[in-house]
Amino acid sequence: MSTAEIPKMKKHTRLEDAQAVILGTLIIALGVNLFTHAGLLTGGSAGLAFLMKYSTPLTFGQAFFLINLPFYILAIMHFGWEFTIKTFLSVFCLSVFADITPMLVSFDKVNPFYASIAGGFLMGVGFLMLFRHNASLGGLNILARYLSEKYGISMGKFQMAVDCMIVLLSVFIVDYTLIIISFVGAIALNMIIAVNHKPGRYMGNV
């Protein structure tokens, strides 16, 4: 099919954006809870906030807020208010879903290896849905998207490298066995993004 024969892709509707934000964060919340019940570590801005909580007088909320400030400025400057607002809404939805999921789903026994792989895949799919609808969960996701669009750096590979460094920094906080298993989760999460989110591949208007 020639370029002229390729149909012009329609822009996502507000309803499509809304369902992507809700379903994406709902899926991520389930993955987060799998990680939590297995005692695994997270990456990204949440992982940095987790480390700051144990190494400084800051609470997790204070650290998370401070870490995200420069990234939201980057989002407004390079991606506009629409993306930034969607990102704020995504963060809000994930906060709510992550809190109510344990009330609706019971994890009596969770194998750490299963949690790392299944949880990582779930979060990767959720992130992918947000990215394709011009949203994210802020923080390093914003920087990853900027580097991808500006310099063609793979979002998945960049986030995988950052997540692995964050997990390594946790060596003095949690058991080394859980750190190793957390690496598996970080790879599973970012493999979904690396394989499915590459510059020029997705034709939807995001």
Side-chain angles (χ1 to χ4, degrees):
M1 180 181 292
S2 65
T3 304
E5 295 176 322
I6 298 177
K8 183 179 180 180
M9 303 301 293
K10 295 182 179 179
K11 184 177 181 179
H12 292 137
T13 65
R14 296 300 183 191
L15 180 60
E16 290 170 340
D17 287 340
Q19 66 84 26
V21 168
I22 293 173
L23 292 180
T25 53
L26 189 64
I27 292 171
I28 294 171
L30 182 57
V32 167
N33 275 273
L34 279 172
F35 269 46
T36 300
H37 283 276
L40 302 177
L41 301 170
T42 59
S45 299
L48 290 175
F50 177 78
L51 293 177
M52 289 180 65
K53 178 180 182 295
Y54 284 94
S55 58
T56 71
L58 295 174
T59 65
F60 177 87
Q62 291 169 338
F64 192 74
F65 178 78
L66 292 175
I67 289 171
N68 276 282
L69 281 178
F71 296 111
Y72 285 121
I73 295 173
L74 179 66
I76 294 172
M77 292 176 60
H78 293 277
F79 306 121
W81 281 102
E82 181 180 351
F83 169 78
T84 306
I85 291 172
K86 286 181 182 178
T87 296
F88 273 117
L89 292 175
S90 299
V91 171
F92 173 78
C93 288
L94 180 58
S95 299
V96 173
F97 292 150
D99 286 343
I100 67 174
T101 297
M103 304 176 190
L104 304 174
V105 181
S106 176
F107 296 99
D108 295 327
K109 182 179 180 181
V110 180
N111 181 282
F113 281 104
Y114 172 81
S116 67
I117 296 174
F121 283 159
L122 285 169
M123 287 188 281
V125 170
F127 276 123
L128 193 63
M129 291 182 69
L130 296 180
F131 293 156
R132 289 184 168 180
H133 284 262
N134 198 28
S136 77
L137 288 177
L140 292 170
N141 295 148
I142 295 175
L143 179 59
R145 177 180 168 179
Y146 171 76
L147 293 175
S148 175
E149 296 185 4
K150 186 73 173 179
Y151 302 105
I153 298 174
S154 168
M155 292 180 68
K157 292 178 181 178
F158 172 78
Q159 292 186 176
M160 185 183 298
V162 172
D163 288 352
C164 287
M165 286 190 291
I166 291 172
V167 172
L168 277 175
L169 292 175
S170 305
V171 67
F172 299 108
I173 299 176
V174 300
D175 183 81
Y176 74 92
T177 303
L178 292 178
I179 294 179
I180 295 175
I181 298 176
S182 294
F183 268 117
V184 177
I187 293 172
L189 188 163
N190 290 290
M191 183 179 71
I192 294 293
I193 300 174
V195 171
N196 294 282
H197 195 288
K198 295 180 179 179
R201 169 171 290 182
Y202 182 56
M203 298 299 293
N205 190 329
V206 299

